[in-house]
Amino acid sequence: MSQLTDEIERRRTFAIISHPDAGKTTLTEKLLLYGGAIHIAGAVKSNKIKKTATSDWMEIEKQRGISVATSVMGFNYGDYKINILDTPGHQDFAEDTYRTLTAVDSVIIVVDVAKGVEQQTRKLMEVCRMRNTPVIIFVNKLDREGRDPFEILDELESELKINVRPLSWPINIGAKFKGVYNIYENTLDLFTPNKQKVTERVEISDINDERIDETVGPEDAAKLREDIELIEGVYPTFDERSYLEGKTAPVFFGSALNTFGVKELLDCFVKIAPSPRPTHAVERDINPEEEAFTGFVFKIHANMDPNHRSCIAFVKVCSGEFVRNAPYRHVRSGKVMKFAAPTAFMAQKKSIVDEAYPGDIVGIPDTGNFKIGDTITSGEELHFKGLPSFSPEMFKYIENTDPMKAKQLDKGVQQLMDEGVAQLFVNQFNGRKIIGTVGQLQFEVIQYRLLHEYGAQCRWEPLSLYKACWIESDDAQALEAFKKRKHQFMATDREGRDVFLADSAYVLQMAQTDFPKINFHFASEF
Ligand code: G4P
């Protein structure tokens, strides 16, 4: 095997996603502890933008500084090189999370055993499903009272629209929680309440082993056997291929806070999770083993210091070896660039790297050359696909309030959109600019950053819209007729595509019925 193939096969690049408060931060931290990347619990916490009310915006500012370092957490675990890509906790930054999901090869979903599937989890799963991303589910907080595990499995299946297959099984929940039977490894892991220590493990021959009765008592042992029999009867044997195709999600039970079930999850994860997979470009599919380097920008992180308007562009390496100072082509501009100070993210430290491999993320200092979705190659003209924008949830007109600073405002808005902070549409009827976001917080971020980084002032004007949909049709005449009829509600996105702004669900439904030849899309890639 070549060195490149070796490096690719040992890489696992993934994201942990959850509804806020399910335990993503805690689990991330425990994984880092296993990887030796941090030495004390609590180190990742500071990164959290948590349950922040809009008035806490300054607090978010402060935290942004830290979050560059924890955006990507790389560490070695056994023979494996693991890259965890962090996603923002606050749902107003959901778009950022969607894009991060395009840069991972698999995902771990954390679900709270008491709450089950929550709204944010459902949405994120949709993005995973679009890309057939393999998913492992960790049901967390078993030390607390929660719902029946069978009920949770049913809910996971119906709400997340994926087959599930338990690979571990809890013995009671909450105060009576005794541990889990590890189906995948055929062991019994005992839980000691209030002890922050790693599981005590009992090796057993099979589910009928008497040691189970001795350790958890005959009653719980009987119940466990009954449950396992039911599981084996209802769920097909775990099929790794079905997992890799994104069709079946293995499920683990545990408690991140108590570091219980975390190592078992990690050990199974490194074994079954995929190493970097081929990436789709408009021109062709790119295999990670190809020698020529290719990569794309999936995130841009601005420096909040107004005196240094520099950014870090996060580039996912898709194929070949990335080498510091080698000449690479920035496909959109056609320019050849050399990167003198690319950084890697290992053990939460940023340091300059000389090379990186598929699955790795490199941070490239930038002063405004990069845009989200940009492709960088050794020379080939390639355009990576798969960084769609979704219809925003909130819309406002943006108005300039300082006529002397119109240019600054324009530039600021353009650059913030390049960074992917929000989406810009221009109304085709009156030429007014509309900003679309996922939540109110983004409007505040934009206003604040325009003022502090560009010296421009803006004001928001309310605009009540339901959805923005990208429209197209094979029938040019039908398209023209639609645009004419809806001319007041037509806008153009930054790529010059036609977007229909529907002001209510009813209007949208009527439009779909009245214009059957028009295709309405809720994501910019179709
Ligand atoms: P998030 O990133 O998904 O938003 O969740 P986070 O890890 O911050 O966890 C949310 C809360 O749930 C935290 O409590 C955390 O300590 C708790 N938690 C996580 N895993 C477990 C678990 O296995 N069992 C129990 N009982 N609790 C768990 P908090 O009070 O909000 O924060 P903190 O004051 O403990 O930091």
Side-chain angles (χ1 to χ4, degrees):
M1 248 197 287
S2 73
Q3 192 206 353
L4 180 60
T5 318
D6 250 3
E7 292 292 348
I8 294 170
E9 297 218 324
R10 74 186 195 92
R11 275 173 171 68
R12 300 285 182 271
T13 301
F14 74 107
I16 303 178
I17 54 180
S18 74
H19 190 87
D21 264 356
K24 176 171 77 88
T25 313
T26 313
L27 180 65
T28 307
E29 191 170 280
K30 297 302 163 80
L31 293 176
L32 293 177
L33 279 169
Y34 280 118
I38 53 166
H39 301 288
I40 40 156
V44 185
K45 275 279 178 210
S46 49
N47 174 30
K48 255 189 102 171
I49 299 175
K50 212 182 155 188
K51 287 177 252 160
T52 320
T54 47
S55 57
D56 287 350
W57 157 228
M58 285 313 293
E59 197 43 41
I60 295 180
E61 284 292 292
K62 267 190 254 153
Q63 299 187 0
R64 279 182 71 110
I66 308 163
S67 62
V68 173
T70 51
S71 283
V72 181
M73 291 158 277
F75 61 89
N76 287 309
Y77 181 70
D79 292 335
Y80 299 95
K81 161 81 193 290
I82 294 182
N83 295 312
I84 306 181
L85 273 53
D86 193 26
T87 54
H90 200 293
Q91 62 173 16
D92 284 10
F93 298 110
E95 191 83 17
D96 218 31
T97 303
Y98 301 154
R99 285 190 294 256
T100 298
L101 292 182
T102 65
V104 301
D105 298 300
S106 70
V107 151
I108 293 180
I109 294 181
V110 185
V111 172
D112 184 325
V113 70
K115 295 190 178 143
V117 175
E118 294 172 90
Q119 183 212 2
Q120 193 70 358
T121 323
R122 219 173 284 127
K123 272 191 164 174
L124 294 169
M125 183 64 209
E126 273 171 36
V127 181
C128 294
R129 208 171 319 107
M130 276 168 63
R131 311 182 63 247
N132 299 322
T133 309
V135 162
I136 295 181
I137 298 171
F138 184 72
V139 180
N140 191 27
K141 308 197 187 181
L142 267 286
D143 59 316
R144 284 223 203 128
E145 298 309 321
R147 308 216 329 244
D148 178 65
F150 280 111
E151 199 185 304
I152 291 279
L153 289 181
D154 285 348
E155 183 170 306
L156 289 170
E157 217 158 48
S158 62
E159 296 276 329
L160 300 181
K161 301 188 181 76
I162 189 163
N163 298 321
V164 294
R165 177 45 160 113
L167 288 187
S168 78
W169 195 251
I171 302 164
N172 301 329
I173 292 189
K176 292 195 202 130
F177 180 53
K178 289 194 179 157
V180 299
Y181 170 62
N182 194 331
I183 303 172
Y184 185 68
E185 294 184 25
N186 198 28
T187 53
L188 187 65
D189 298 327
L190 297 178
F191 177 71
T192 318
N194 305 320
K195 262 205 176 155
Q196 300 267 342
K197 73 174 188 101
V198 184
T199 326
E200 183 192 333
R201 172 162 280 202
V202 183
E203 300 291 338
I204 48 176
S205 54
D206 58 42
I207 187 73
N208 295 317
D209 196 319
E210 277 179 12
R211 262 169 295 186
I212 301 181
D213 304 67
E214 287 159 19
T215 41
V216 304
E219 221 171 282
D220 287 332
K223 170 82 170 61
L224 175 67
R225 287 189 186 108
E226 218 174 89
D227 286 353
I228 297 295
E229 198 183 325
L230 190 57
I231 290 168
E232 299 301 344
V234 172
Y235 298 97
T237 324
F238 174 59
D239 175 11
E240 227 173 288
R241 209 181 43 204
S242 173
Y243 157 69
L244 290 173
E245 288 170 353
K247 291 183 184 145
T248 301
V251 181
F252 287 85
F253 292 84
S255 165
L257 189 64
N258 293 288
T259 326
F260 188 85
V262 178
K263 188 167 188 299
E264 294 66 33
L265 172 75
L266 181 59
D267 285 339
C268 175
F269 168 81
V270 291
K271 266 189 230 148
I272 66 170
S275 52
R277 310 200 289 178
T279 321
H280 308 297
V282 175
E283 293 79 3
R284 63 190 186 87
D285 283 359
I286 285 80
N287 268 316
E289 287 85 8
E290 291 182 23
E291 278 199 9
F293 159 76
T294 62
F296 69 89
V297 177
F298 68 94
K299 179 183 180 122
I300 292 177
H301 206 297
N303 183 343
M304 298 311 284
D305 179 351
N307 299 320
H308 304 271
R309 201 162 57 223
S310 62
C311 307
I312 294 182
F314 288 76
V315 175
K316 158 105 189 255
V317 180
C318 297
S319 71
E321 188 183 347
F322 171 91
V323 181
R324 182 160 80 98
N325 272 326
Y328 290 128
R329 178 187 167 98
H330 178 242
V331 175
R332 185 170 51 84
S333 67
K335 281 191 213 158
V336 173
M337 297 178 173
K338 286 185 181 177
F339 306 115
T343 50
F345 305 86
M346 271 302 273
Q348 283 205 298
K349 277 198 214 84
K350 257 180 21 174
S351 54
I352 294 198
V353 276
D354 291 318
E355 72 269 307
Y357 296 95
D360 285 341
I361 311 299
V362 282
I364 295 180
D366 175 44
T367 48
N369 289 312
F370 290 117
K371 201 168 145 174
I372 293 227
D374 279 358
T375 304
I376 304 164
T377 70
S378 295
E380 193 176 342
E381 180 85 9
L382 282 177
H383 301 85
F384 281 115
K385 294 196 285 189
L387 276 162
S389 305
F390 296 89
S391 173
E393 312 273 333
M394 296 176 83
F395 302 83
K396 286 181 203 237
Y397 282 120
I398 181 166
E399 295 296 338
N400 184 13
T401 49
D402 182 351
M404 305 297 288
K405 298 277 172 66
K407 266 203 178 133
Q408 282 87 334
L409 184 77
D410 258 2
K411 183 167 177 220
V413 169
Q414 293 301 338
Q415 289 200 347
L416 293 184
M417 298 306 126
D418 282 350
E419 257 180 51
V421 175
Q423 293 180 61
L424 174 70
F425 304 99
V426 179
N427 189 313
Q428 294 177 3
F429 175 63
N430 56 22
R432 291 179 77 182
K433 288 188 173 134
I434 298 165
I435 303 282
T437 68
V438 177
Q440 173 60 26
L441 196 52
Q442 278 164 286
F443 290 113
E444 293 177 34
V445 172
I446 293 168
Q447 195 163 29
Y448 179 93
R449 290 190 56 192
L450 284 172
L451 183 63
H452 288 83
E453 294 170 40
Y454 300 87
Q457 292 190 39
C458 74
R459 168 167 64 78
W460 302 109
E461 267 190 35
L463 176 61
S464 165
L465 289 176
Y466 168 64
K467 272 208 161 54
C469 358
W470 285 264
I471 57 160
E472 43 96 33
S473 173
D474 295 334
D475 185 334
Q477 254 181 336
L479 193 61
E480 271 320 300
F482 179 83
K483 285 168 67 174
K484 212 164 161 196
R485 171 88 86 81
K486 299 283 182 192
H487 70 288
Q488 289 185 331
F489 297 96
M490 287 305 303
T492 309
D493 77 358
R494 295 190 69 216
E495 264 36 81
R497 291 174 291 215
D498 283 328
V499 178
F500 170 53
L501 306 170
D503 52 1
S504 72
Y506 177 72
V507 164
L508 179 60
Q509 204 189 348
M510 287 306 287
Q512 284 170 314
T513 320
D514 293 348
F515 296 87
K517 287 185 177 159
I518 307 286
N519 301 315
F520 297 81
H521 303 279
F522 300 98
S524 66
E525 262 187 21
F526 31 83

